[in-house]
Amino acid sequence: MEFDSNKPIYLQIVDKIKVSIVSGKYAPGEKMPSVRDFAAELAVNPNTMQRALAQLEAEGLIYTERTSGRFVSRDAVIIGSIKDEQAIAHTKKYLKQMHELHYKTDEIIRLIGDIDAVQAKEEK
Amino acid sequence: MEFDSNKPIYLQIVDKIKVSIVSGKYAPGEKMPSVRDFAAELAVNPNTMQRALAQLEAEGLIYTERTSGRFVSRDAVIIGSIKDEQAIAHTKKYLKQMHELHYKTDEIIRLIGDIDAVQAKEEK
Amino acid sequence: MEFDSNKPIYLQIVDKIKVSIVSGKYAPGEKMPSVRDFAAELAVNPNTMQRALAQLEAEGLIYTERTSGRFVSRDAVIIGSIKDEQAIAHTKKYLKQMHELHYKTDEIIRLIGDIDAVQAKEEK
Amino acid sequence: MEFDSNKPIYLQIVDKIKVSIVSGKYAPGEKMPSVRDFAAELAVNPNTMQRALAQLEAEGLIYTERTSGRFVSRDAVIIGSIKDEQAIAHTKKYLKQMHELHYKTDEIIRLIGDIDAVQAKEEK
DNA sequence: GTGGTCTAGACCACA
DNA sequence: GTGGTCTAGACCACA
């Protein structure tokens, strides 16, 4: 995993895992890797990993079972609402950025269509 | 101006000024406020302001005239290309985020329409 | 049984059993469940249970009979004095906490009355 | 400051500072000692202190001003509600403990009166 | 000088 | 082996 040096690593990890859970890559109730394994995998210090996981736990996306490890929340409502929240937050931020550049909604939609077409082509 | 405490202030200022130039709020060739005035306006340390301006200069959006101060670039090509670059970068990043959440292009466009409608309503 | 993750489990068990003995739920001389059964009942590792019982034995509330298991102490004096000790310790600690918050004795007594009334009502 | 080895130090610090704020020992808006000074004063590692302060910030009792330090919240409502919350929590816990020991409310109140009298005498 | 982040590594409670 | 806590100490952004 590549880290952007302008944002705390632990927050970048939080975002990444959040997406994985919310998009279903980690299923509800699934066991997560141990702190040490996860840290090794991402090449960060276990403490940094610990901090990221504590944050996710505070948000209710994962929970800890003493001595047996951490698990993805089984609460589909929380997971779903965080998904929606994220999508809306991304969209609002994006629209704000584009409006500041004086893009109108129809221009934005056209641009999305164009870029999407290019990307679809590249994947072929 | 409100700063997000998880991102260097100077970078947030760079973004803000970049938008102002690229969107035409600062016209090509226009004189910019002095470092001190600018810093005072944003309630920021002059060192921080200095750093932000140096960054913009490195990107070619502003230039320094020895004794008379800093000016917005007159190079419409650079300004225009940075504008497009920014719009494309924002859009790609946004699409990547939404695709990770398993949103399809038509769902994205619908969501944009919805949020846009809400915001238009709020502005009335 | 629910455990507070910020305090060692074995100490929470010690407290719980101590209350049971001192309040008469376990009678003097009564045989206690085996370590295994007790551990199973509380959904806890036998090592943890063992440790809790060793602690209670050190305090004189239970004793071991080589082959036949553990028993609640028959020494009513010890049991009674621990009961008083606990009540006084709880009360001192509580008064200290409340005085730190600048509650006066009459305010404390009023608050106890209020909360007690609410709880009595809830139990109906 | 003495620490109980059965509870995380950072949580003991949180409790202690919380009492200080809520009881008015630290006034609203008052500047707190720097992390390093505070840590030295309590003879703990700056990271431990940092963690305690982050927790208090999450609860809204203090806030951080970039580079100039941490300050006690000016929000009297939050401070007051945490005070009440604490008093009620202490009282409920205390009553639960005493009821488990089969103390009745009037006995509890008598005991409080007795201990209070003794303490008042000692202070003379 | 102020807070924030990160690493390296020890030690503990519990299973 | 699992997570949790703590220390020591480096380095960064910002004033």
Side-chain angles (χ1 to χ4, degrees):
Chain A
M1 185 173 177
E2 294 282 296
F3 295 109
D4 172 356
S5 70
N6 289 318
K7 195 177 170 181
I9 291 178
Y10 82 95
L11 286 181
Q12 297 181 54
I13 296 174
V14 165
D15 285 344
K16 187 194 149 98
I17 298 179
K18 199 181 279 182
V19 166
S20 296
I21 292 174
V22 138
S23 70
K25 201 182 137 194
Y26 290 133
E30 185 177 336
K31 188 174 186 316
M32 315 217 37
S34 80
V35 175
R36 285 156 173 81
D37 289 353
F38 223 152
E41 191 187 319
L42 300 185
V44 298
N45 185 283
N47 284 330
T48 303
M49 199 66 221
Q50 181 88 10
R51 185 163 185 187
L53 293 171
Q55 170 88 23
L56 288 164
E57 190 158 354
E59 297 186 35
L61 276 171
I62 62 176
Y63 64 93
T64 299
E65 216 141 75
R66 274 224 216 202
T67 74
S68 74
R70 284 195 170 81
F71 299 83
V72 176
S73 166
R74 281 206 177 71
D75 187 335
V77 175
I78 285 186
I79 293 176
S81 72
I82 287 182
K83 182 182 168 182
D84 295 344
E85 205 177 83
Q86 296 249 90
I88 291 172
H90 291 325
T91 305
K92 280 188 175 168
K93 187 178 170 195
Y94 172 63
L95 289 178
K96 184 159 165 280
Q97 290 170 330
M98 295 301 277
H99 288 332
E100 280 171 351
L101 295 177
H102 299 323
Y103 273 73
K104 286 175 191 150
T105 305
D106 58 330
E107 292 170 327
I108 292 170
I109 288 173
R110 205 178 318 133
L111 184 57
I112 287 177
D114 289 352
I115 288 180
D116 216 63
V118 171
Q119 290 182 338
K121 218 171 170 181
E122 281 172 4
E123 281 166 23
K124 277 191 202 170
Chain B
M1 184 174 176
E2 292 282 297
F3 296 109
D4 172 355
S5 70
N6 290 319
K7 195 177 170 181
I9 289 181
Y10 83 96
L11 282 183
Q12 298 181 54
I13 296 173
V14 164
D15 285 343
K16 189 193 148 96
I17 298 179
K18 197 181 283 184
V19 165
S20 296
I21 292 174
V22 136
S23 70
K25 201 181 138 193
Y26 291 133
E30 186 177 336
K31 189 175 186 314
M32 315 225 24
S34 76
V35 171
R36 293 197 173 204
D37 290 353
F38 224 153
E41 192 189 318
L42 299 185
V44 130
N45 188 286
N47 291 330
T48 305
M49 199 66 222
Q50 181 74 28
R51 189 162 179 187
L53 293 171
Q55 168 88 23
L56 287 163
E57 197 160 345
E59 296 188 35
L61 275 170
I62 63 178
Y63 65 96
T64 302
E65 217 142 73
R66 274 269 171 185
T67 52
S68 56
R70 272 176 235 260
F71 299 83
V72 177
S73 166
R74 280 206 177 72
D75 187 336
V77 176
I78 284 188
I79 294 176
S81 71
I82 287 182
K83 182 181 169 182
D84 295 344
E85 205 177 82
Q86 295 248 88
I88 292 172
H90 291 326
T91 304
K92 281 188 174 166
K93 186 180 171 194
Y94 172 64
L95 289 178
K96 182 160 167 278
Q97 290 171 329
M98 296 301 277
H99 288 330
E100 279 172 349
L101 295 178
H102 299 323
Y103 273 74
K104 286 174 191 150
T105 305
D106 59 328
E107 292 171 325
I108 293 171
I109 288 173
R110 206 179 317 134
L111 184 57
I112 288 178
D114 290 351
I115 289 179
D116 215 63
V118 171
Q119 290 182 339
K121 216 172 171 181
E122 281 171 5
E123 280 165 24
K124 277 191 201 170
Chain C
M1 184 173 177
E2 292 283 296
F3 295 109
D4 172 355
S5 70
N6 289 318
K7 194 177 170 181
I9 289 181
Y10 82 96
L11 283 183
Q12 298 182 54
I13 296 173
V14 165
D15 285 343
K16 190 194 149 97
I17 298 179
K18 198 182 280 183
V19 165
S20 296
I21 292 174
V22 138
S23 71
K25 200 180 140 193
Y26 291 133
E30 185 177 338
K31 188 173 187 315
M32 316 228 19
S34 77
V35 172
R36 295 197 174 205
D37 290 353
F38 225 152
E41 191 188 319
L42 299 185
V44 131
N45 187 287
N47 291 329
T48 306
M49 199 66 223
Q50 181 74 27
R51 188 162 180 188
L53 293 172
Q55 169 87 24
L56 287 163
E57 197 159 345
E59 296 187 36
L61 276 170
I62 63 178
Y63 64 95
T64 302
E65 217 142 71
R66 277 271 173 181
T67 52
S68 57
R70 275 176 232 260
F71 299 82
V72 176
S73 165
R74 280 204 178 73
D75 187 336
V77 176
I78 284 188
I79 293 176
S81 71
I82 286 183
K83 180 181 170 182
D84 294 345
E85 204 177 83
Q86 294 248 87
I88 291 172
H90 290 326
T91 304
K92 280 188 175 168
K93 186 179 170 194
Y94 172 63
L95 289 178
K96 181 157 166 282
Q97 290 171 329
M98 296 301 277
H99 288 332
E100 280 172 349
L101 295 178
H102 299 322
Y103 273 74
K104 286 174 192 153
T105 305
D106 59 329
E107 292 171 326
I108 292 170
I109 289 173
R110 205 179 318 133
L111 184 57
I112 288 177
D114 289 351
I115 288 179
D116 215 64
V118 170
Q119 290 182 340
K121 218 172 170 181
E122 282 172 4
E123 282 164 23
K124 276 190 199 169
Chain D
M1 184 174 178
E2 294 282 296
F3 294 110
D4 172 355
S5 69
N6 290 318
K7 196 178 171 182
I9 291 179
Y10 83 94
L11 285 181
Q12 297 181 54
I13 296 174
V14 165
D15 285 343
K16 186 194 150 97
I17 298 179
K18 199 181 279 182
V19 167
S20 296
I21 291 174
V22 137
S23 70
K25 200 180 138 195
Y26 290 133
E30 186 177 336
K31 188 175 186 315
M32 314 218 37
S34 81
V35 175
R36 285 155 174 81
D37 289 353
F38 223 151
E41 191 188 318
L42 300 185
V44 297
N45 184 282
N47 283 330
T48 303
M49 198 66 220
Q50 182 87 9
R51 185 165 185 185
L53 293 172
Q55 170 89 22
L56 288 164
E57 190 157 355
E59 297 186 34
L61 276 171
I62 63 178
Y63 64 94
T64 300
E65 215 140 77
R66 273 226 217 201
T67 76
S68 73
R70 285 196 169 80
F71 299 82
V72 177
S73 166
R74 280 205 178 73
D75 187 335
V77 176
I78 284 187
I79 293 177
S81 71
I82 287 183
K83 182 181 169 181
D84 295 344
E85 204 178 85
Q86 295 248 91
I88 291 172
H90 291 324
T91 304
K92 279 189 176 168
K93 187 180 171 195
Y94 171 64
L95 289 178
K96 184 159 166 280
Q97 290 170 331
M98 296 301 278
H99 288 331
E100 279 172 351
L101 295 177
H102 299 322
Y103 274 74
K104 286 174 190 152
T105 305
D106 58 329
E107 292 170 327
I108 292 169
I109 288 172
R110 206 178 317 133
L111 184 58
I112 287 177
D114 290 351
I115 289 178
D116 216 62
V118 171
Q119 290 182 340
K121 219 171 169 180
E122 282 171 4
E123 280 165 25
K124 277 190 200 171

